[in-house]
Amino acid sequence: MVNVLTELAQHIAEGLRREPKALSSMYFYDDAGSRLFQQIMDLPEYYPTRAEFAIFREHGAAIAVALSPADGGEFALVELGAGDGAKTKLLLRELLAADSPFTYAPVDISAGAMTGLVAALKKELPDLQVVPVVADYATALTELPTRPGSKAVLFLGSNIGNFGPAERLDFLRQLAAPLAPADRLLIGFDLQKDPRRIRAAYDDSQGVTAAFNLNLLTRLNRELGADFDLAHWQHYTDYSPLNGAVRSFLVSTRAQQVRIATLEESFDFAAWEVIHTENSYKFTLPQIEALAAEAGLRVVEYFTDPATDFADVVLAIQ
């Protein structure tokens, strides 16, 4: 396997040489970034987590049935980007209560987040069989076909919205490729709503989202020997109801040059030049159905919260 640091360095080099400059949000999630994101999910402005919790509380038993093999056989519940597993624990309890024969395989890029999750599960759900996987999505998808038996794959928390349209379609096709007819996907989609509510969710009044975005620069300073001065960078986000895209940026507040020692390269930034760091797309139900069909999937069932802010969609191959 390629060294993670080498992958990070290569990505940063490519992203900062682009015009406009852009970096992937997947590198937000070092241990500090994962902790900050846990704080974001508790913010009053950040509705997606509360909405998805409401879905799992109200429809957890029905979701468990929808994901379990019809023949009652053993299956693996694979969760991409497990984080602290807070929502998933509701589903795990439903499956355990139903005496479903399954193994939980949480996948997360953060070793720290995974260690915390496994320890919590051992304490809270001692009968649960857990096989943790510390890896990125690409690696996890490569290994997915090697898992025996039926599979139910979870991709929660509106993470699908972080992909651009072409990447999103490619990712869903990769998810669909190893699936058998009895296998299921459960994907969380943040739905379109009041544009002001959406924008506020990504630019909170306490500045936690700003700290989360800026932590990427702190990580580059630590891991790649960069010399970003965070006093001269700020977080900015916008939302377009025309295409449903929230876009987040790091903004250089002055003309400056940044040296990255690992790359043995310096990068010039003009005053108010941006680095695009994240997309978060919002969807309508017809868009979800069309996207699924294009990826070779079909909507089996979907569950929404009472306010219809969010949808967890059960999918199968066509």
Side-chain angles (χ1 to χ4, degrees):
M1 182 181 293
V2 179
N3 181 273
V4 172
L5 185 61
T6 302
E7 290 180 349
L8 174 61
Q10 181 178 341
H11 174 76
I12 298 306
E14 293 172 353
L16 295 185
R17 290 170 188 157
R18 290 177 54 183
E19 186 59 44
K21 297 177 174 67
L23 300 175
S24 171
S25 60
M26 71 177 287
Y27 293 109
F28 282 156
Y29 298 94
D30 63 352
D31 290 347
S34 294
R35 287 192 297 270
L36 284 165
F37 189 68
Q38 298 304 317
Q39 295 177 38
I40 287 171
M41 291 192 293
D42 291 332
L43 293 169
E45 296 97 332
Y46 196 76
Y47 63 83
T49 302
R50 289 190 300 277
E52 197 168 28
F53 261 112
I55 292 170
F56 275 72
R57 280 193 297 267
E58 183 175 350
H59 303 291
I63 293 172
V65 171
L67 296 180
S68 300
D71 62 5
E74 295 186 8
F75 70 103
L77 186 70
V78 181
E79 182 172 12
L80 302 179
D84 67 351
K87 293 186 293 284
T88 311
K89 289 174 187 175
L90 299 173
L91 176 61
L92 295 174
R93 288 189 174 93
E94 294 286 356
L95 289 167
L96 289 170
D99 204 24
S100 299
F102 76 102
T103 300
Y104 177 49
V107 179
D108 203 284
I109 197 171
S110 169
M114 184 62 71
T115 299
L117 173 60
V118 172
L121 290 172
K122 186 175 181 179
K123 180 179 179 180
E124 297 174 39
L125 302 171
D127 295 332
L128 180 66
Q129 296 184 55
V130 184
V131 182
V133 180
V134 178
D136 58 31
Y137 297 157
T139 303
L141 288 175
T142 300
E143 296 174 352
L144 192 59
T146 67
R147 295 187 176 275
S150 296
K151 291 172 284 291
V153 181
L154 309 182
F155 196 53
L156 306 178
S158 74
N159 288 316
I160 192 67
N162 294 142
F163 296 101
E167 296 171 312
R168 182 189 312 134
L169 179 59
D170 182 61
F171 178 74
L172 287 177
R173 285 172 172 165
Q174 289 180 60
L175 275 180
L179 299 184
D183 296 337
R184 294 291 182 264
L185 298 173
L186 180 67
I187 300 181
F189 290 87
D190 195 3
L191 301 179
Q192 293 186 15
K193 59 187 70 65
D194 182 347
R196 294 172 183 82
R197 284 187 64 211
I198 292 175
R199 188 182 182 282
Y202 295 86
D203 194 15
D204 66 278
S205 59
Q206 298 179 46
V208 181
T209 312
F212 177 64
N213 201 4
L214 288 162
N215 180 66
L216 177 59
L217 302 184
T218 301
R219 179 179 184 180
L220 301 186
N221 287 348
R222 181 181 67 250
E223 297 187 19
L224 301 184
D227 62 358
F228 285 96
D229 183 347
L230 271 64
H232 301 295
W233 290 86
Q234 61 181 224
H235 164 74
Y236 176 75
T237 190
D238 67 12
Y239 172 65
S240 171
L242 295 176
N243 63 4
V246 176
R247 298 181 301 166
S248 294
F249 304 89
L250 290 164
V251 184
S252 173
T253 61
R254 69 173 187 180
Q256 57 184 306
Q257 185 178 81
V258 175
R259 174 77 176 170
I260 300 181
T262 298
L263 301 177
E264 299 182 346
E265 188 172 354
S266 296
F267 298 88
D268 292 317
F269 294 88
W272 308 114
E273 185 177 359
V274 302
I275 305 173
H276 179 204
T277 55
E278 186 177 34
N279 291 320
S280 186
Y281 283 84
K282 312 304 173 186
F283 302 89
T284 65
L285 293 175
Q287 285 175 344
I288 294 168
E289 292 179 357
L291 173 62
E294 195 172 1
L297 296 162
R298 61 184 174 86
V299 174
V300 176
E301 195 170 0
Y302 65 84
F303 303 90
T304 64
D305 61 292
T308 322
D309 282 337
F310 201 93
D312 280 303
V313 183
V314 181
L315 301 160
I317 59 173
Q318 290 177 347

